[in-house]
């Protein structure tokens, strides 16, 4: 989903992530996750998790947002910042840190990007994508 294009701060990105989570399709885990990102060009894109009865093929919110950004901006897309927000079926905010696969996707597009997500104590963590995945896979040149 393309939200709009302009500069934005992390609090607004968090609010957009919470909005995106409302569209999640998560009948199996009952965990609604939303992600909202800003590209280096100032584009704003959001995604939510989309599950499937064939459980392993479900997709995460972060990679859905990245897919929306690449669709809109093309392969030159670079990630500047991303917020992730998650909610239980009763609407309670829950802590969710990006999964390993999403971390790999985040660093591909922006190792220096700000990543913000809720910690178990309810406070927001703000970290660099690079710091979330040390010793990550890099396709070797041949
Ligand atoms: N999920 C995400 O959307 N992002 C993550 O980084 C971790 C997990 C989703 C996938 C699945 O639909 C649900 O959360 C429970 O794992």
């Amino acid at each position: 989903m393309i939200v709009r294009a302009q500069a934005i701060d992390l609090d607004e990105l968090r609010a957009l992530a919470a909005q995106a989570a409302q569209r999640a399709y998560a009948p199996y885990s009952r965990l609604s996750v939303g992600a909202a990102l800003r590209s280096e060009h100032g584009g704003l894109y959001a995604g939510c998790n989309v599950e499937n009865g064939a459980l392993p093929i479900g997709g995460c919110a972060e990679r859905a947002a990245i897919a929306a950004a690449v669709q809109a901006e093309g392969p030159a897309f670079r990630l500047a910042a991303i917020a992730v927000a998650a909610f239980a079926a009763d609407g309670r905010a829950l802590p969710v840190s990006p999964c390993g696969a999403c971390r790999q996707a985040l660093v591909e597009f922006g190792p220096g990007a700000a990543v913000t997500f809720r910690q178990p104590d309810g406070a927001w963590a703000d970290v660099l994508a690079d710091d979330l995945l040390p010793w990550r896979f890099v396709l070797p040149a041949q």
Side-chain angles (χ1 to χ4, degrees), residues 13 35-39 43-46 62 65-66 69 77 79 81-83:
L13 219 47
L37 70 81
R38 176 165 49 81
S39 72
L44 294 171
Y45 309 96
E62 296 92 321
I66 287 172
F77 160 67
L79 178 68
I82 184 167

Side-chain angles (χ1 to χ4, degrees), residues 30-54:
R30 310 285 287 160
L31 180 67
S32 295
V33 186
L37 70 81
R38 176 165 49 81
S39 72
E40 285 186 358
H41 279 126
L44 294 171
Y45 309 96
C48 60
N49 56 332
V50 180
E51 298 184 346
N52 191 276

Side-chain angles (χ1 to χ4, degrees), residues 25-26 28-35 48-52 58-63 84 86 96-100 102-103:
Y25 177 72
Y28 306 106
S29 73
R30 310 285 287 160
L31 180 67
S32 295
V33 186
C48 60
N49 56 332
V50 180
E51 298 184 346
N52 191 276
C60 290
E62 296 92 321
R63 279 174 288 153
V84 187
V96 162
S97 162
C99 79
C102 287
R103 292 175 190 211

